[in-house]
Amino acid sequence: MPELRVVSPPSPDVPGQASDLVGSLRTYFEGGSTKPLAWRLSQMDALEHLLRERERDILAALRADLGKPETEAYSSEIGMIHSEIRLVRRKLASWMKPERVRTPLVAMPGRSYVHREPLGVTLIIAPWNYPFQTAVLPLVGALAAGNCVVLKPSEVAARTSALLAKWIPKYLDTKAVRVVEGGVPETTALLRENWDHIFYTGNARVGRIVMEAASKHLTPVTLELGGKSPCIVDDTADLDTAAKRIVHGKFFNAGQTCVAPDYVLVHERIHDALLNRMVGTVREFYGDDPKQSPDFARIINARHHARLAGLLEGADVATGGQTDLERLYVAPTILKNVRPEDAVMAEEIFGPILPVIAVPSLDAAIAFVNRREKPLALYCFSTSKAAQDRVLRNTTAGDTTINHVWMHLGVPEIPFGGVGESGTGAYHGRHSFETFSHRRGVLKKPTLPDPPLMFPPYSARKLRWIKRLL
Ligand code: NAD
């Protein structure tokens, strides 16, 4: 097993191996320190301080890893966490209260409850595209629910990983939260351990590895995966609004967003009009040379740059198409005349390339979507309620925003997660708290009365009564 780089104040009781690490967290968890409301809120305060006091460092790390413009970095990586912490502060006490549920006649007299208990020692594995938020947002949920956590940031976003490793131990309770940096060997070592929950965000290939490892200990998993999220534009859509929102949602973070619209299916009657408006919007947002724009991010590394450049080979480019490996730049690109069998339609693009496909009808768009894996998100631009309803009724997706893209992430009451190939489980807001809690059913009965109805010796009369009750 490789030596784990466990980041915490150096102390003799923080051994470097995965099993010792889990063992020490488990001992702390069993001591009960993480269960009280006061401890959970203290961790929220600590995270809030980290966000405020280290904001410049976080923005600098995100700029170094992905060239993230400050507005994008703040809104999607820091602001979202502030909102989540505020919600937890307001609601946690009520979420933690045992929930009284109805007791049926057969269990009377008695009172029934659902208690939310922390699961125990949990593992959070994060990806590189929103390297801060995808690590810290689940951490908020795990701590709000009273768990211990090992956080494994993505080694691919090295600056943000180092930042998390440096600052989390300086703010949070190090007996409950550890950061382990590293790549495949370190994650593999961690995955051998017996966790009470594994929360993984990343691609489906590794999702399968995580699920297989978890199955050895029957550990429950949340898998926040990706895939090709379609964007349907019907012939009643408001084209100016659609063009702006699609272009912004696609090229935010240079398209490296799990819920970015992966491709557009547009009614053939408005295809040219939408395409022209989107091309115009790209120029409006990023100027004549988007490489000079301070508002456009960079590709994470050379491997992904090469992958994206490969998708552009032989493509029919409506705008963009330029690449610069040295500066990890791929221009915001819109492709036209795309065929379903083209390479760009085979896998999640995860970069600033937007294929646009004309379809003869809404039903054709729906059929196109349904021939593919269940997406993480599906978007529909239409002013027709009937068309919106038809799309909702006849497709499935992790989540959907109508007449916008990925704004559902801003609604904490919406469970954020995938379905099928795009993931299992969900989080955000109360859903995070639920994901990291065990719902324990509790029935409290008085000792008397104690009717003999259920007890032997059985009789026809007792059975008649039981049949009436059940
Ligand atoms: P990544 O390469 O950083 O991998 C994710 C994590 O898995 C990392 O921490 C990495 O160390 C670990 N890992 C990689 N290979 C492993 C292996 N063989 N065994 C064990 N662990 C391993 O990130 P990625 O997977 O390229 O992330 C991009 C994907 O994540 C996209 O598909 C995107 O759609 C998805 N994503 C989903 C969400 C969501 O919330 N649903 C959010 C962000 C990204």
Side-chain angles (χ1 to χ4, degrees):
M1 187 166 70
E3 194 69 14
L4 291 180
R5 275 181 290 147
V6 179
V7 181
S8 277
S11 122
D13 67 335
V14 183
Q17 296 299 309
S19 53
D20 292 345
L21 175 64
V22 175
S24 69
L25 290 173
R26 196 169 295 291
T27 304
Y28 190 60
F29 177 75
E30 284 165 3
S33 304
T34 65
K35 290 186 179 170
L37 174 66
W39 181 88
R40 303 183 195 195
L41 290 177
S42 76
Q43 298 308 292
M44 295 302 116
D45 291 347
L47 268 174
E48 186 89 75
H49 283 127
L50 188 160
L51 290 181
R52 293 210 188 285
E53 290 163 18
R54 300 297 149 205
E55 186 177 303
R56 298 311 320 166
D57 300 326
I58 299 167
L59 294 171
L62 294 168
R63 168 74 70 179
D65 281 331
L66 288 139
K68 279 201 196 213
E70 185 169 325
T71 305
E72 294 190 1
Y74 184 86
S75 57
S76 63
E77 305 244 21
I78 299 176
M80 255 183 96
I81 302 172
H82 277 305
S83 307
E84 187 90 345
I85 291 175
R86 268 199 306 276
L87 180 78
V88 170
R89 277 227 193 81
R90 262 198 339 267
K91 299 280 190 182
L92 186 57
S94 71
W95 294 345
M96 286 172 66
K97 277 205 188 99
E99 177 193 357
R100 178 98 185 261
V101 293
R102 207 180 73 82
T103 308
L105 202 55
V106 67
M108 289 283 200
R111 287 179 173 215
S112 305
Y113 302 88
V114 179
H115 287 222
R116 266 80 178 174
E117 311 181 324
L119 293 166
V121 182
T122 63
L123 173 64
I124 295 172
I125 303 173
W128 53 263
N129 61 330
Y130 290 84
F132 190 79
Q133 184 249 97
T134 55
V136 178
L137 208 59
L139 179 64
V140 170
L143 296 176
N147 296 281
C148 290
V149 181
V150 169
L151 177 60
K152 215 300 289 171
S154 176
E155 73 284 13
V156 181
R159 279 285 297 272
T160 310
S161 174
L163 172 126
L164 287 163
K166 177 172 178 192
W167 292 114
I168 284 204
K170 296 209 164 62
Y171 284 84
L172 296 184
D173 181 348
T174 53
K175 294 200 183 70
V177 184
R178 305 286 172 83
V179 180
V180 174
E181 285 197 273
V184 176
E186 290 80 2
T187 318
T188 306
L190 289 172
L191 284 172
R192 278 195 207 107
E193 295 305 312
N194 189 354
W195 302 92
D196 295 301
H197 193 89
I198 301 175
F199 189 104
Y200 166 80
T201 306
N203 67 73
R205 182 185 62 79
V206 177
R208 288 181 167 81
I209 294 173
V210 170
M211 205 167 190
E212 195 178 334
S215 74
K216 293 209 177 75
H217 301 288
L218 291 178
T219 299
V221 293
T222 302
L223 301 177
E224 293 284 340
L225 310 178
K228 291 183 89 61
S229 295
C231 180
I232 298 174
V233 184
D234 92 340
D235 55 354
T236 70
D238 180 320
L239 291 187
D240 286 329
T241 310
K244 271 205 193 77
R245 294 178 180 179
I246 294 170
V247 165
H248 176 245
K250 176 69 184 190
F251 298 120
F252 194 96
N253 200 29
Q256 300 160 113
T257 303
C258 56
V259 284
D262 187 90
Y263 60 96
V264 173
L265 296 174
V266 53
H267 195 290
E268 58 193 14
R269 259 203 297 274
I270 54 159
H271 170 271
D272 292 355
L274 180 72
L275 196 67
N276 288 337
R277 277 177 175 77
M278 290 200 298
V279 168
T281 306
V282 170
R283 195 169 317 115
E284 196 186 309
F285 284 180
Y286 306 110
D288 288 334
D289 181 8
K291 203 199 266 190
Q292 309 307 328
S293 167
D295 300 330
F296 186 66
R298 291 295 179 264
I299 305 307
I300 183 74
N301 59 25
R303 183 170 73 80
H304 281 282
H305 190 276
R307 180 181 64 76
L308 292 165
L311 294 179
L312 291 174
E313 275 166 27
D316 192 348
V317 171
T319 188
Q322 304 81 3
T323 63
D324 177 347
L325 173 61
E326 208 169 299
R327 294 169 70 179
L328 292 173
Y329 170 77
V330 173
T333 299
I334 298 178
L335 302 182
K336 56 185 176 170
N337 297 319
V338 176
R339 291 161 310 167
E341 59 276 16
D342 289 349
V344 78
M345 290 306 295
E347 278 174 14
E348 181 180 8
I349 296 168
F350 221 54
I353 302 173
L354 182 64
V356 178
I357 298 179
V359 286
S361 65
L362 187 60
D363 286 338
I366 290 170
F368 191 101
V369 168
N370 287 339
R371 277 196 297 275
R372 287 162 173 76
E373 297 290 356
K374 296 174 184 172
L376 180 60
L378 182 148
Y379 306 115
C380 169
F381 284 84
S382 169
T383 56
S384 152
K385 185 175 175 311
Q388 296 171 6
D389 289 346
R390 207 149 91 231
V391 169
L392 285 174
R393 242 194 341 268
N394 295 305
T395 61
T396 187
D399 295 297
T400 282
T401 296
I402 303 277
N403 284 323
H404 217 306
V405 296
W406 51 248
M407 289 301 288
H408 57 277
L409 267 84
V411 183
E413 280 74 22
I414 286 182
F416 175 64
V419 54
E421 186 77 9
S422 57
T424 179
Y427 75 129
H428 287 192
R430 181 170 185 159
H431 306 287
S432 296
F433 173 80
E434 295 285 344
T435 285
F436 284 101
S437 296
H438 166 59
R439 292 188 306 153
R440 176 182 190 168
V442 175
L443 171 62
K444 288 187 179 172
K445 291 196 56 84
T447 48
L448 287 173
D450 199 20
L453 190 63
M454 299 277 194
F455 300 137
Y458 303 127
S459 69
R461 191 163 155 268
K462 283 185 177 176
L463 185 59
R464 266 199 311 282
W465 270 105
I466 287 170
K467 284 185 175 173
R468 252 183 239 170
L469 286 172
L470 291 175

